[in-house]
Amino acid sequence: MKISKEHNERKNEILNTAERLFSIKGYERCTVNDILNAVGIAKGTFYYYFKSKEEVLDAIIDRVTEIVIVRADKVASNPELSPIMKILYTILSMKIESEVDNEFLDQLHKPENALMHQKSLSSIVTRVTPILVKVVEEGISQGIFKSDHPAQYMKIFLTSSITLLDDGIFELNPEEQRLTLRALVALLEKMLGVEDELFWNVAKQYWT
Amino acid sequence: MKISKEHNERKNEILNTAERLFSIKGYERCTVNDILNAVGIAKGTFYYYFKSKEEVLDAIIDRVTEIVIVRADKVASNPELSPIMKILYTILSMKIESEVDNEFLDQLHKPENALMHQKSLSSIVTRVTPILVKVVEEGISQGIFKSDHPAQYMKIFLTSSITLLDDGIFELNPEEQRLTLRALVALLEKMLGVEDELFWNVAKQYWT
DNA sequence: AATTTTAGACCGACGGTCGGTCTATATTAA
DNA sequence: TTAATATAGACCGACCGTCGGTCTAAAATT
């Protein structure tokens, strides 16, 4: 049987289904045929919309990144918030569970999804760093922060946070996770030249 | 029971060839058949020695990690060196080009080798961190260093260094690379509570 | 003779291709 | 006005080459 649909409708249908399946089985273990069966389309249809399985992954990562960016931007451009709060909330906004993409972010961290993780790490670090840097510069100009290498520091902070916390790579138990988080926040304080515990005192109520 | 020296010879032969091929083509794009042809053996022989292609990768990563560890250990246990020099040399020893495994380390960083990179990152961070921590503690007990979270800091430092510098993920141009290195060293100074520029003044002559 | 090692034909699953069909909307001919 | 025809593009699924991995039998070693 043949069911015709609007181009973008079909495309999103494939994207949504693939995202769900990648979340459950992981990218590598999810077959193109799995997607076909779930969507209810034929091979040809799939390759009519995407030229490879990897292109689907890229499209999904773009979508997920976009969600993270929008959230971060919203925080960073909120005039009500001090730079300190902006930094914290932006970082928090990346961990907070959203309704839809939570499973996906979960799966991202399984060790067997190395490709998925690397692409997403790269995408998120690249896009979020400038947002954080702008906030840091705002803080510097207000005399709240002091930092010699804002851009590099934010990149380092994001990279290590995501790799160490969001990841199945290092399988941390809850206590280790707490210690890592503690150290990351302490490091952020050093990076921005604020007094010790400043961020931590605010952050700890959200995290643990 | 017969102990066949032949056995390990063959196994290493496969390992060496595979390492070379992974270095040239990357893990994913290197076929088991490529290895067979290069070694000059049949499928059956390959799978007599290794139960999967991935097991070969793991073995190679173990070998490469071992080389790094031995170098690091040698530095860390050298009584001639101050903790400051030990830290620096240990870190340097990871970047220094060795004769054989250089191509391999190069290839590690191509974006398409996500699995290879992740495994190696995990392996090296896990094994090198304790070595660095011991040096840091030595420095602390001598009153040279001051650090609240030595273990976490070293893990963060290694993770971000390897991911940002050793990687094809972020394709940095030479200038960006220099800035990143600069920030990493500055961060290390903060992590260990030494005065600014202390490490950098020593390090810069080795790096740039 | 028994055990270890080697060989390579073989397999099923996979990502991806291809020639072609179906249908809804123009376009034209009557 | 309507009926025949042409075009576009969404859709189909049989098919293909490649890959990692299996199997069984022969060869070499002890």
Side-chain angles (χ1 to χ4, degrees), chain A residues 60-73:
Chain A
I60 292 176
I61 284 177
D62 280 350
R63 283 204 323 191
V64 173
T65 303
E66 207 50 40
I67 294 173
V68 173
I69 293 302
V70 167
R71 282 205 296 242
D73 254 333

Side-chain angles (χ1 to χ4, degrees), chain B residues 45-65:
Chain B
T45 311
F46 178 92
Y47 281 98
Y48 173 74
Y49 287 97
F50 299 94
K51 56 190 259 295
S52 70
K53 182 186 167 190
E54 192 167 348
E55 193 177 285
V56 175
L57 176 61
D58 288 337
I60 292 175
I61 284 177
D62 280 350
R63 280 201 329 191
V64 173
T65 304

Side-chain angles (χ1 to χ4, degrees), chain B residues 2 44-45 54 59 63 84 101 120 126 130 153 170 179 183 191 194 196-197 200:
Chain B
K2 88 168 172 187
T45 311
E54 192 167 348
R63 280 201 329 191
I84 289 171
D101 53 73
S120 139
T126 304
Y153 280 166
F170 293 107
L179 288 174
M191 284 172 165
V194 303
D196 283 2
E197 311 280 314
W200 183 245

Side-chain angles (χ1 to χ4, degrees), chain B residues 116-151:
Chain B
M116 230 161 111
H117 172 260
Q118 183 163 318
K119 280 183 185 248
S120 139
L121 169 75
S122 165
S123 174
I124 289 185
V125 170
T126 304
R127 303 277 310 270
V128 174
T129 299
I131 299 176
L132 285 179
V133 168
K134 218 175 152 195
V135 177
V136 172
E137 280 164 353
E138 189 187 326
I140 291 176
S141 75
Q142 290 178 26
I144 300 170
F145 297 150
K146 188 164 63 81
S147 182
D148 290 331
H149 320 279

Side-chain angles (χ1 to χ4, degrees), chain B residues 2-207:
Chain B
K2 88 168 172 187
I3 290 189
S4 158
K5 189 179 164 196
E6 218 67 54
H7 185 91
N8 267 346
E9 241 164 66
R10 227 334 162 236
K11 194 162 181 172
N12 278 322
E13 201 180 352
I14 295 173
L15 244 27
N16 293 336
T17 307
E19 182 173 331
R20 210 188 71 238
L21 290 184
F22 289 172
S23 302
I24 299 165
K25 318 184 58 172
Y27 172 71
E28 313 280 0
R29 270 199 300 280
C30 174
T31 312
V32 172
N33 270 313
D34 290 340
I35 302 173
L36 306 183
N37 293 336
V39 183
I41 56 171
K43 263 278 175 69
T45 311
F46 178 92
Y47 281 98
Y48 173 74
Y49 287 97
F50 299 94
K51 56 190 259 295
S52 70
K53 182 186 167 190
E54 192 167 348
E55 193 177 285
V56 175
L57 176 61
D58 288 337
I60 292 175
I61 284 177
D62 280 350
R63 280 201 329 191
V64 173
T65 304
E66 207 51 40
I67 295 173
V68 173
I69 292 301
V70 167
R71 281 204 297 239
D73 254 332
K74 212 166 280 177
V75 173
S77 63
N78 183 344
E80 308 266 308
L81 296 173
S82 72
I84 289 171
M85 285 311 192
K86 283 183 180 177
I87 290 278
L88 268 174
Y89 285 168
T90 305
I91 291 161
L92 283 165
S93 78
M94 297 176 56
K95 277 293 277 184
I96 276 170
E97 23 258 282
S98 77
E99 318 69 52
V100 191
D101 53 73
N102 199 32
E103 282 174 18
F104 181 78
L105 289 175
D106 260 16
Q107 188 61 31
L108 218 51
H109 317 144
K110 297 280 174 62
E112 58 270 27
N113 290 324
L115 182 64
M116 230 161 111
H117 172 260
Q118 183 163 318
K119 280 183 185 248
S120 139
L121 169 75
S122 165
S123 174
I124 289 185
V125 170
T126 304
R127 303 277 310 270
V128 174
T129 299
I131 299 176
L132 285 179
V133 168
K134 218 175 152 195
V135 177
V136 172
E137 280 164 353
E138 189 187 326
I140 291 176
S141 75
Q142 290 178 26
I144 300 170
F145 297 150
K146 188 164 63 81
S147 182
D148 290 331
H149 320 279
Q152 283 72 34
Y153 280 166
M154 290 305 100
K155 210 165 172 179
I156 293 168
F157 179 79
L158 285 172
T159 301
S160 46
S161 302
I162 294 173
T163 306
L164 289 171
L165 294 176
D166 288 18
D167 237 352
I169 305 184
F170 293 107
E171 312 251 333
L172 305 177
N173 65 40
E175 175 60 7
E176 289 169 329
Q177 192 144 352
R178 218 198 100 266
L179 288 174
T180 303
L181 207 51
R182 186 75 188 80
L184 280 166
V185 173
L187 201 60
L188 188 62
E189 287 157 358
K190 291 182 194 300
M191 284 172 165
L192 301 182
V194 303
E195 59 178 318
D196 283 2
E197 311 280 314
L198 178 67
F199 283 121
W200 183 245
N201 285 331
V202 189
K204 62 182 172 190
Q205 45 190 313
Y206 290 96
W207 263 310

